[in-house]
Amino acid sequence: AKEAGRARMTLYDPAMDADREERNALELDLRVAIESGDLTLAYQPLIDASTHEMNGVEALVRWNRPGHGPVSPEVFIPIAETSGLIEALGLFVLRKACETAKQWPELRVAVNVSPGQFRNPAFTDYVRYVLKQTEIEAQRVTLEITEGYMIQNPQRTRQSIERLKTLGVKIALDDFGSGFSSIGYLRQFGFDRIKIDRSLVEGVTESDSQREMLQATVALARSLDIPVTAEGIETEEQALAVRLFGCDCLQGYFFSKPVPADRITEMLEARRAL
Ligand code: C2E
Ligand code: CA
Ligand code: CA
Ligand code: CA
């Protein structure tokens, strides 16, 4: 009887209708937000592991949904992906980040690129267009991509990365260690940097096995002779550990949460005044 009940549930479930309605409403609001420029960017400092100075920022999109408050990008990016909004959203983020970072000549700027953008054959063209329009030095721009799409389309991924690199931008592999990539396989893509996923950093001071796991993952990334960033650093112990393991760049709440652009400008001004 229980099984039958469950089977019927999958045929009609009013809660699913409510979910769908909420999703549609969210999608509509997101469309409006993109069109009317209501998305903003926060910037999280990237810290040089040896000097402990900020040498870059990662741009992270923010949406304050009217009547609801802030919505996490982990919620609305996947919706943008499946509803055809990711292109407009991605273009906004890239342009805004480059425009803003133009005033921070001492910093590099990392921008997240989702599979839906990366898959678009015109992506390289629009990166070229934004670089030209904003007049930012291409070497200061890093595009961060995750491994999900690469595994499905290794050939096309390699070609896209090659094309993008001819523009002068850098390419980083984001969230390394959260999936299942084999390192030999990653070698072919020519990444300029690898970012170790927060989930590996989290438990590093809790158990030896988690510490070993992190150390092994960093060592694996470094075996490609690529610089490695550790993200999600929340404590001094974590910062010390990842530095010891060989990460040259650190990112996390321990140093700074993502902040508005003005805050970054203030930090740079304070530093220049020293
Ligand atoms: P991500 O690229 O891995 O970005 C890092 C996330 O970790 C950010 O969450 C950041 O606020 C958070 N974080 C940084 N330091 C710490 C820390 O010490 N502790 C903890 N607990 N969290 C930390 P956020 O901004 O909510 O973004 C979540 C994800 O959404 C990003 O993960 C990225 O995959 C995606 N995303 C954000 N902005 C964009 C964007 O502009 N375009 C695209 N395509 N995706 C974006
Ligand atoms: Ca990222
Ligand atoms: Ca990441
Ligand atoms: Ca992530």
Side-chain angles (χ1 to χ4, degrees):
K2 208 173 164 197
E3 287 305 310
R6 201 175 291 149
R8 220 174 300 122
M9 285 264 292
T10 62
L11 291 180
Y12 180 70
D13 180 356
M16 245 164 74
D17 273 1
D19 278 359
R20 199 172 301 124
E21 249 168 61
E22 167 51 19
R23 209 202 106 107
N24 288 342
L26 198 96
E27 185 184 318
L28 273 174
D29 284 355
L30 181 60
R31 193 178 296 273
V32 171
I34 295 169
E35 280 165 6
S36 46
D38 284 346
L39 299 178
T40 57
L41 294 186
Y43 297 87
Q44 187 173 34
L46 303 171
I47 308 296
D48 182 313
S50 51
T51 64
H52 274 206
E53 288 214 5
M54 169 168 63
N55 62 10
V57 289
E58 177 176 355
L60 295 156
V61 67
R62 293 291 176 262
W63 179 29
N64 195 356
R65 186 181 176 199
H68 291 79
V71 183
S72 163
E74 305 207 68
V75 171
F76 69 82
I77 294 282
I79 291 176
E81 285 263 351
T82 53
S83 57
L85 295 171
I86 195 65
E87 212 164 306
L89 188 155
L91 189 55
F92 164 81
V93 169
L94 186 64
R95 183 186 287 136
K96 186 80 185 169
C98 290
E99 231 168 55
T100 306
K102 181 100 171 94
Q103 37 159 354
W104 304 323
E106 58 269 74
L107 303 182
R108 58 197 172 84
V109 60
V111 179
N112 293 286
V113 172
S114 65
Q117 290 174 273
F118 199 71
R119 199 181 291 130
N120 182 346
F123 182 60
T124 317
D125 297 327
Y126 88 59
V127 173
R128 184 187 295 110
Y129 171 72
V130 169
L131 291 174
K132 190 161 176 246
Q133 201 185 36
T134 59
E135 298 179 299
I136 192 168
E137 302 85 338
Q139 329 74 258
R140 286 212 281 130
V141 178
T142 302
L143 303 178
E144 297 191 354
I145 66 174
T146 51
E147 64 195 350
Y149 170 72
M150 303 178 350
I151 287 163
Q152 294 162 350
N153 308 273
Q155 190 73 18
R156 287 183 59 181
T157 302
R158 194 168 50 226
Q159 287 165 354
S160 303
I161 290 178
E162 270 165 25
R163 274 201 306 271
L164 287 166
K165 289 178 79 166
T166 64
L167 303 178
V169 299
K170 308 262 188 276
I171 309 289
L173 176 64
D174 204 354
D175 298 349
F176 183 66
S178 63
F180 55 89
S181 354
S182 93
I183 199 79
Y185 177 81
L186 289 177
R187 199 179 298 273
Q188 63 179 307
F189 296 109
F191 291 112
D192 299 293
R193 175 169 289 280
I194 289 182
K195 296 186 76 170
I196 304 288
D197 194 60
R198 179 173 83 223
S199 61
L200 281 153
V201 172
E202 224 166 30
V204 66
T205 44
E206 272 154 40
S207 76
D208 285 351
S209 68
Q210 293 188 74
R211 189 179 169 84
E212 279 157 21
M213 184 67 140
L214 174 68
Q215 182 166 18
T217 307
V218 176
L220 215 55
R222 290 187 71 209
S223 72
L224 295 180
D225 284 321
I226 301 175
V228 180
T229 298
E231 59 182 17
I233 310 279
E234 294 184 351
T235 67
E236 186 168 17
E237 294 73 38
Q238 291 170 343
L240 288 170
V242 297
R243 207 179 94 166
L244 182 71
F245 298 158
C247 293
D248 75 328
C249 181
L250 314 177
Q251 176 179 8
Y253 296 169
F254 177 65
F255 301 100
S256 170
K257 290 202 165 186
V259 295
D262 290 351
R263 247 332 262 140
I264 300 289
T265 304
E266 283 168 17
M267 289 177 197
L268 291 174
E269 274 164 7
R271 193 161 88 190
R272 287 192 205 108
L274 283 179

